Amino acid sequence: MPTVGVKRDLLFKALGKTYSDEEFDELCFEFGLELDEITTEKEIISKEQGDSKASGASDLILYKIDVPANRYDLLCLEGLVRGLQVFKNKREAPRYRRVRASSGEPQRLIITEETAAVRPHAVAAVLRNITFTRERYDSFIELQEKLHQNICRKRSLVAIGTHDLDTISGPFTYTAKPPAQIRFKPLNQSKEFSASELMSLYKTDGHLRHFLHIIEDEPLYPVIHDKNGVVLSMPPIINGEHSKISIKTKNVFIECTATDVTKAKIVLDMMVTAFSEYCAQPFTVEEAEVVYPDGKRCVYPELAYRTEKLPSDYINRKVGIKESPEKIAQLLTRMCLKSRATGAGDEIEVEIPPTRSDVIHACDIMEDAAVAYGFNNIVRTTPRTCTVANQFPINKLTELLRLDLAAAGFTEALNFALCSQEDLADKLGKKIEDTKAVHISNPKTAEFQVVRTSLLPGVLKTVAANRKMPLPLKLFEISDVVLKDESKDVGARNIRRFCALFYSKSPGFEVIHGLLDRTMQLLEVRPGPEDGYHIRAADDCTFFPGRCAEIFVRGQSVGRLGVLHPDVITRFELTMPCSALEMDLEPFLGHSSELSLCHDVPLQELHLHSFQTKPLFPASTQTTFGDLSDLTALKSLDRFLADKSYIEGFSASQADIAVFDAIAAAPPPDLCHLLRWHNHTRSLYGERARLPASKGHYVLPAQGNAASANDGEDLDLLAEYAARNA
């Protein structure tokens, strides 16, 4: 989450109220923010640079406020104050307007076709007759930096340029030229530089050097100049000194060059809406025209308002409240989403302003309603569903094996899932094309180029890093590898594997073979060619010729073991022989680990054959809770289950089945505790014979005629017959 630093006194002055630290912390929480730190400029410099550097720094108290990453409108003091004031009903959300230039002709930015290869998009706008103070100017500059680091992705998607319009003359041209042909005086410099010289100059700059890679390898560099050839900026690196803005600037020309035009529009909207309040006509922005190479003309900023409609029931259900459409509309209005109840049922009409680009789906509106309502005000309720958690079979098997392998004297290693192509293929004597490896499209380092398809390289590198340890080294790893698989929706699948390695003065093949036998013993697989496991000689370039075997379990190949080839050992900078074992664990589960645990197979079969698993008519509805054919008794049972998952104790029993059978139909939705228990017990009905006996009696003998009871018994027999044959 981005952090916004604001001066406490300046913030309270803008809010029109002074808060204690605790009160402001609570206000931030109510608004969905977090007061992360209370500090001073002096403390910050002291921590980062030492006490000597902090001697002349300010002692003014600063609030460091964590802001959600998608709330770009809150990244400066102006947006933060505006949002809090609307939230506290101290003002209405402003209405932003785009206006024409007083001269009649808008400022024009012309894009040439040369920019297509570097940064093809640009947008622009003008803040006319703006009044800056030192605090406003600092906030204006800081907002640019926050946007550059956040939505602009460190200027790779969007770069913002701000210029004193009174020092330059339109129309402006956005083009791309060879570096040698670009020459201007950059910001805060006293002489002119060529673009090539600037790239060399800024390689040692602590701030700008991080952006050089965006264009430095391009044959053409983007540049913006006015009609007189005065360079405004060389995006995304630096602006020109000539058009530098200051506190005295009255008219600001804002341009954003981009590789993503949608992001550029959002960034421009954020810049102008945040500071249009300081214009002579508050909340108005002068339009600018952008002309594309194909002749298309667009007017910016868009400042687009859009309307969404959704039912209040959706918000009530998702948040867990019961409020009228009018009340919910008031809550949303407090979040700068002007809303009203349309009167068509429970429909609410919500207006999304240009400052709320984070609102994309109805769930975003619902979230804002929850924030305005107050998370602490939502009444806690028992969930309507009752589920029993269980460990994935593959994870349970992994944990059990880890303990026993450690008991066998092996030490567990844990390596990165990403590795280099060299480690995965070249060092093992294989071709990368044959490994079915998933490649990383933009690897940051040579060490993380592909996703591993084998655990062996990682274990070998662990041995290499610890080769000075006393011998023998016995390591193992149980983790996932990833293989390409076109049958999967993501094009790849995970496989859980087990790898072990023995490194000493002798190969120790017998140690690895013994570990295989012990593992099979733990997995309850006996030696044997058909129903058990056996090994068969195999050829593999990773292993020494004649010292490699393939492992078969019930006729299926699951892995290999053997003595590693001397060339492989040398490539991993090892000097001693070693033996290794690697095999898949998933075949020992009997089914794919991707399938979730399901205890309802018999029940599913009964549904498939349309058999009834519960009597259509209860043998008796008389219980200790009353007659369950009556709503009063059902309410009594609902109250009983309000803080219980089962009729008896903490697990299902025959008591649950007996009471379940006494209920003729599914309970109404308003009896949420009873409905939750009813749905859960129904899921266990197929295995009711396995449930433990009840300790008490909850169902009383029926008071109706015997015929109806006999009919119920006949239906029970039918259900039992179906269960036995499922």
Side-chain angles (χ1 to χ4, degrees):
M1 294 172 64
T3 301
V4 179
V6 295
K7 295 177 180 178
R8 184 192 64 180
D9 296 343
L10 197 62
L11 174 64
F12 289 169
K13 180 181 178 182
L15 288 173
K17 181 179 179 180
T18 300
Y19 296 86
S20 67
D21 292 340
E22 293 76 15
E23 289 172 338
F24 187 74
D25 187 17
E26 182 63 24
L27 175 61
C28 287
F29 176 78
E30 291 175 1
F31 191 53
L33 309 178
E34 181 180 355
L35 180 57
D36 181 57
E37 185 182 5
I38 302 173
T39 183
T40 65
E41 183 181 334
K42 189 173 185 177
E43 287 181 7
I44 294 174
I45 296 176
S46 178
K47 287 180 182 178
E48 296 178 352
Q49 303 178 26
D51 294 338
S52 59
K53 298 286 186 180
S55 57
S58 171
D59 286 320
L60 289 175
I61 294 177
L62 298 177
Y63 280 168
K64 296 285 188 178
I65 303 172
D66 283 344
V67 176
N70 59 353
R71 287 299 301 270
Y72 315 121
D73 57 314
L74 302 179
L75 290 175
C76 63
L77 173 68
E78 288 72 16
L80 195 60
V81 168
R82 202 172 299 150
L84 288 172
Q85 286 181 330
V86 174
F87 180 72
K88 298 298 288 184
N89 291 319
K90 291 186 177 181
R91 65 182 292 181
E92 292 185 359
R95 187 84 183 179
Y96 304 98
R97 294 186 299 114
R98 185 178 71 192
V99 297
R100 294 181 179 273
S102 57
S103 62
E105 280 293 320
Q107 295 294 336
R108 186 172 290 112
L109 179 62
I110 302 170
I111 304 176
T112 68
E113 60 184 9
E114 287 82 6
T115 61
V118 278
R119 300 175 78 82
H121 305 289
V123 296
V126 176
L127 289 175
R128 182 71 68 177
N129 294 321
I130 190 170
T131 302
F132 281 125
T133 61
R134 169 52 61 185
E135 291 78 12
R136 293 174 184 178
Y137 176 82
D138 291 342
S139 182
F140 186 74
I141 299 300
E142 186 178 357
L143 176 59
Q144 291 182 60
E145 289 304 312
K146 293 293 184 185
L147 291 172
H148 275 151
Q149 293 298 317
N150 194 346
I151 184 175
C152 299
R153 297 294 186 268
K154 297 182 178 180
R155 305 191 189 183
S156 61
L157 297 181
V158 185
I160 309 167
T162 54
H163 313 278
D164 189 335
L165 187 58
D166 296 328
T167 64
I168 49 182
S169 303
F172 307 100
T173 301
Y174 173 43
T175 185
K177 298 179 180 180
Q181 296 181 19
I182 302 174
R183 193 169 187 85
F184 67 104
K185 185 190 294 185
L187 202 62
N188 301 324
Q189 295 292 332
S190 58
K191 66 174 184 177
E192 289 188 349
F193 292 84
S194 70
S196 301
E197 291 170 340
L198 281 177
M199 299 302 272
S200 300
L201 176 67
Y202 291 138
K203 281 187 182 295
T204 57
D205 187 282
H207 177 59
L208 295 177
R209 63 186 176 88
H210 301 293
F211 313 121
L212 301 182
H213 70 278
I214 300 174
I215 62 169
E216 67 178 338
D217 295 329
E218 299 291 340
L220 302 177
Y221 286 4
V223 62
I224 300 176
H225 60 79
D226 71 356
K227 71 176 183 180
N228 298 319
V230 176
V231 173
L232 278 65
S233 67
M234 186 178 74
I237 308 302
I238 192 72
N239 290 344
E241 175 72 15
H242 182 85
S243 59
K244 176 182 178 180
I245 67 170
S246 66
I247 298 177
K248 297 179 180 179
T249 298
K250 299 301 293 181
N251 301 301
V252 181
F253 178 68
I254 304 175
E255 43 83 8
C256 301
T257 59
T259 57
D260 185 327
V261 69
T262 302
K263 294 287 192 296
K265 293 175 185 177
I266 294 173
V267 170
L268 183 64
D269 283 350
M270 295 303 145
M271 287 295 300
V272 298
T273 54
F275 290 90
S276 59
E277 182 177 5
Y278 303 136
C279 292
Q281 297 182 42
F283 307 114
T284 62
V285 184
E286 184 179 308
E287 66 184 25
E289 185 180 69
V290 175
V291 183
Y292 281 86
D294 60 359
K296 183 178 73 172
R297 296 172 181 265
C298 298
V299 178
Y300 298 107
E302 290 188 344
L303 297 181
Y305 285 82
R306 75 176 201 273
T307 301
E308 301 288 346
K309 294 181 180 179
L310 73 163
S312 62
D313 178 63
Y314 170 80
I315 294 175
N316 281 325
R317 284 188 294 105
K318 296 297 183 182
V319 179
I321 57 178
K322 293 181 180 179
E323 297 293 338
S324 66
E326 292 76 16
K327 176 62 176 178
I328 293 176
Q330 292 175 11
L331 295 175
L332 293 171
T333 301
R334 291 176 58 200
M335 301 300 292
C336 294
L337 300 177
K338 189 175 181 180
S339 306
R340 68 180 185 89
T342 63
D346 64 343
E347 185 180 70
I348 300 174
E349 184 179 85
V350 184
E351 185 181 59
I352 316 297
T355 53
R356 295 301 306 275
S357 60
D358 60 298
V359 178
I360 301 172
H361 187 272
C363 64
D364 299 312
I365 299 174
M366 174 272 295
E367 181 185 8
D368 270 15
V371 171
Y373 186 84
F375 290 113
N376 288 338
N377 297 325
I378 300 174
V379 179
R380 292 188 180 188
T381 58
T382 304
R384 291 176 177 269
T385 57
C386 181
T387 58
V388 179
N390 210 336
Q391 194 174 18
F392 276 114
I394 188 63
N395 291 338
K396 184 175 183 179
L397 175 61
T398 298
E399 294 300 326
L400 292 172
L401 271 181
R402 280 183 175 136
L403 294 174
D404 283 292
L405 291 171
F410 281 72
T411 301
E412 184 174 11
L414 188 62
N415 293 290
F416 292 115
L418 301 181
C419 62
S420 67
Q421 295 186 28
E422 183 184 18
D423 290 342
L424 188 62
D426 298 343
K427 289 184 178 180
L428 296 181
K430 298 180 180 180
K431 294 181 179 180
I432 191 65
E433 298 82 12
D434 300 332
T435 60
K436 296 184 179 180
V438 176
H439 292 251
I440 307 302
S441 61
N442 57 339
K444 298 300 181 184
T445 68
E447 290 295 311
F448 300 136
Q449 295 175 314
V450 293
V451 187
R452 64 184 177 186
T453 59
S454 171
L455 300 179
L456 185 57
V459 178
L460 283 168
K461 290 184 73 172
T462 303
V463 172
N466 295 275
R467 57 181 178 271
K468 293 184 180 180
M469 298 289 290
L471 298 178
L473 292 179
K474 300 193 290 183
L475 300 180
F476 80 93
E477 182 175 4
I478 304 179
S479 194
D480 280 5
V481 299
V482 178
L483 299 179
K484 287 182 180 178
D485 188 345
E486 297 301 329
S487 65
K488 300 295 181 181
D489 56 349
V490 295
R493 59 190 170 94
N494 285 33
I495 298 177
R496 186 67 52 87
R497 282 192 180 171
F498 156 50
C499 180
L501 187 140
F502 180 86
Y503 178 75
S504 187
K505 295 180 180 179
S506 61
F509 178 78
E510 69 281 358
V511 177
I512 289 297
H513 192 277
L515 184 66
L516 171 65
D517 291 339
R518 173 57 180 162
T519 303
M520 292 299 177
Q521 183 183 32
L522 293 170
L523 294 172
E524 298 182 353
V525 181
R526 296 183 178 183
E530 296 181 0
D531 296 333
Y533 77 96
H534 67 283
I535 61 175
R536 188 185 303 166
D539 291 327
D540 192 316
C541 56
T542 303
F543 296 91
F544 196 84
R547 295 292 185 272
C548 174
E550 193 166 5
I551 307 167
F552 288 87
V553 174
R554 301 182 185 96
Q556 177 185 354
S557 174
V558 297
R560 295 190 175 184
L561 79 161
V563 180
L564 293 182
H565 198 287
D567 291 343
V568 173
I569 296 173
T570 304
R571 292 181 192 122
F572 281 94
E573 301 178 2
L574 299 175
T575 57
M576 301 286 184
C578 56
S579 297
L581 154 70
E582 184 168 6
M583 68 178 189
D584 295 345
L585 290 181
E586 294 183 7
F588 299 97
L589 295 174
H591 55 80
S592 171
S593 64
E594 294 179 7
L595 295 177
S596 60
L597 290 176
C598 180
H599 299 295
D600 296 333
V601 175
L603 183 62
Q604 292 171 353
E605 290 295 320
L606 292 174
H607 286 313
L608 181 65
H609 296 290
S610 301
F611 287 115
Q612 294 290 336
T613 60
K614 177 183 176 181
L616 291 177
F617 303 102
S620 173
T621 59
Q622 300 295 328
T623 67
T624 54
F625 305 100
D627 187 350
L628 292 182
S629 62
D630 181 66
L631 183 60
T632 302
L634 291 176
K635 288 181 178 179
S636 174
L637 180 56
D638 180 72
R639 288 192 296 271
F640 175 79
L641 291 168
D643 58 351
K644 298 178 178 64
S645 296
Y646 304 99
I647 299 297
E648 286 184 346
F650 301 99
S651 60
S653 67
Q654 294 297 336
D656 296 278
I657 300 301
V659 177
F660 178 79
D661 283 341
I663 302 175
D670 57 325
L671 301 181
C672 60
H673 308 298
L674 177 57
L675 182 61
R676 175 254 304 166
W677 169 86
H678 188 273
N679 290 338
H680 180 53
T681 306
R682 183 176 59 190
S683 71
L684 301 173
Y685 204 82
E687 296 188 352
R688 59 192 183 281
R690 302 181 186 178
L691 297 179
S694 60
K695 298 177 182 178
H697 296 283
Y698 299 90
V699 179
L700 307 177
Q703 298 177 0
N705 56 47
S708 61
N710 290 335
D711 290 341
E713 291 174 2
D714 292 340
L715 290 169
D716 273 341
L717 290 173
L718 180 59
E720 291 296 336
Y721 174 79
R724 286 197 300 271
N725 289 276

